[in-house]
Amino acid sequence: LNDKEVNQVQFYTPYGVHIRTLKIPGKEITCLSWEGKSLRIALSVDSFIYFANIRPDYTWCYFNKTVCYLEATKAEDTSLITFWDTNSNQCYSKQVDPIIGIAATVDHCVLAVETKISAKEFSFMSDSKSKDFMYQLLVCNSISTTVDSKYVDLRPNFIAMNSTHVVVASKDQFLLWHYHTPKGASTLHGNVKAKKDKKYHIDDTPALDVLNDLDSNATYDIPSKTDASQDPICCIAVSESLLLIGRESGLIH
């Protein structure tokens, strides 16, 4: 539909995962150079030279007048998270396992970390017996205190949260975790049945799982698929009443 000629420069992680595509106008890219010890690149396109600055994907979030961000350190086996109260100008630090992602809602944030555990500790998880790494979700308040946590065997490539749930997703599956906070726990009634956390495959038919969840007499779980999807998940977003999942084809659930 567009007659303009466009070149593409694709960026990958050291593990071969595609992270970004940069479109450059022109007929042909004849040379590309990355400045040493810097985040700038130069490209020669036809008779022009283009300069571009690479902006890192910083790990941070904002909630309850607090900025929560990942500190730059040389440690490879731990991550240092800082909680900066913008009102009082006080900072609180929290050292965790290597962090993968972070998200926030009104009063809390969630940290997704990769933690090394033994198979015996989590032998009750059928999929984790042969894994050396598990993933932990930490719900924290504005002074870095952990108020709830959960171990999962699903790599949280994408993470989002609202006031009641944390949603994490890999390329093929997603998990809904109903977390609890001291404020939320105080409002629960004793006869309220705890909600079970469910994991879904992106190619599953959701109606079957929803009907099973609504059936209070159901004593079984419909097993989810484990196959790799041909149309992987690329992003998620959640509000108080809506969950959106985007796939690489452009399809939105």
Side-chain angles (χ1 to χ4, degrees), residues 98-201:
I99 193 163
I100 299 175
I102 188 171
T105 184
V106 179
D107 294 320
H108 297 87
C109 73
V110 59
L111 311 177
V113 301
E114 183 180 57
T115 179
K116 191 170 185 178
I117 53 91
S118 64
K120 293 182 179 179
E121 292 181 68
F122 295 93
S123 59
F124 60 89
M125 289 187 170
S126 59
D127 295 336
S128 64
K129 292 181 180 179
S130 60
K131 295 182 179 180
D132 292 329
F133 287 92
M134 289 287 291
Y135 307 99
Q136 188 177 19
L137 306 177
L138 304 171
V139 176
C140 304
N141 58 19
S142 58
I143 58 174
S144 77
T145 302
T146 300
V147 297
D148 200 359
S149 64
K150 180 179 179 63
Y151 283 96
V152 296
D153 59 350
L154 179 72
R155 180 175 177 82
N157 293 328
F158 312 99
I159 184 168
M161 74 181 303
N162 58 21
S163 60
T164 57
H165 286 80
V166 171
V167 184
V168 294
S170 64
K171 291 290 186 180
D172 312 302
Q173 296 176 310
F174 63 97
L175 170 76
L176 277 68
W177 171 39
H178 182 69
Y179 67 91
H180 299 283
T181 63
K183 181 179 178 181
S186 63
T187 60
L188 292 177
H189 299 285
N191 58 352
V192 175
K193 185 179 179 180
K195 295 183 179 180
K196 186 176 181 180
D197 306 321
K198 292 296 295 290
K199 182 168 64 175
Y200 304 89
H201 194 280

Side-chain angles (χ1 to χ4, degrees), residues 2-8 23-28 45-46:
N2 194 342
D3 295 334
K4 292 184 178 180
E5 295 178 330
V6 177
N7 300 277
Q8 291 186 349
K23 294 184 178 181
I24 304 294
K27 184 177 180 180
E28 183 182 6
V45 184
D46 302 335

